[in-house]
Amino acid sequence: SLTGLYGENYEVVDEKQTTLTVEYAAKVKYADVFFFMDRMRGSDDHKSTYFELSPRLSLGEVSGQKLAFGPIKDVLISTTWESNNDDFSSFDNFLYGVGFDLAIPYFQYANVNFYRASNENTADDYQMTIAYALPFKLSNEDFLVDGFLDWSTGEKDHASELNWTTQYKWNVGKHISPETRLYLGIEHSVWNNKFGIKGSDENNVSALVKYHF
């Protein structure tokens, strides 16, 4: 998918920011993978590129055993590569841990991952990531609420962070053709101690347009 965002209440670096996001997700034998890359341009022409690559290995599929119990559908080895490149901060962080796919009524998907983070420029810490998607209908219109929550521990050189970002989208594409997935909506981001900076709290709503290939 390709997403365009514009917001005017960012907390760190630039108050106004335009973001172009490319996302890719796939399910392959024994594993799944998610990738996104943000290309950001701020109001003072500051530019940055950030990406995450998150492959996960299904222990249930590798072992041939059903690892489902309660709301848990599968147990996975989870990894993530975080990378940033701009004038202020360049880094490569590597996260590894365990993930759980969850079966929750009405949700398209939901999962939770627990990581140990090996950080290049800051002290290593621990992170929990929750991802989810909830499709629903109002009359004949299709909507999708999806997003993630990242929480990481505070260490000697940075504060604990919480980043809860949710997109609220209307599928206007179905009025073009049944197979067209063109979404309009907003992205709401709540980010406490952004980038580990104590007291840098963000509550931002951005305009959104998104197209799925």
Side-chain angles (χ1 to χ4, degrees), residues 61-103:
E61 293 182 7
V62 168
S63 67
Q65 303 297 316
K66 187 175 181 181
L67 300 181
F69 53 97
I72 295 175
K73 295 194 300 182
D74 196 10
V75 182
L76 305 98
I77 295 174
S78 298
T79 62
T80 294
W81 172 20
E82 303 174 338
S83 184
N84 187 73
N85 191 347
D86 64 18
D87 294 334
F88 299 100
S89 175
S90 296
F91 59 79
D92 290 290
N93 300 334
F94 297 95
L95 290 69
Y96 52 92
V98 61
F100 302 92
D101 282 347
L102 306 177

Side-chain angles (χ1 to χ4, degrees), residues 97-115:
V98 61
F100 302 92
D101 282 347
L102 306 177
I104 301 178
Y106 307 111
F107 278 74
Q108 182 177 326
Y109 65 82
N111 59 65
V112 57
N113 300 276
F114 299 95
Y115 297 104

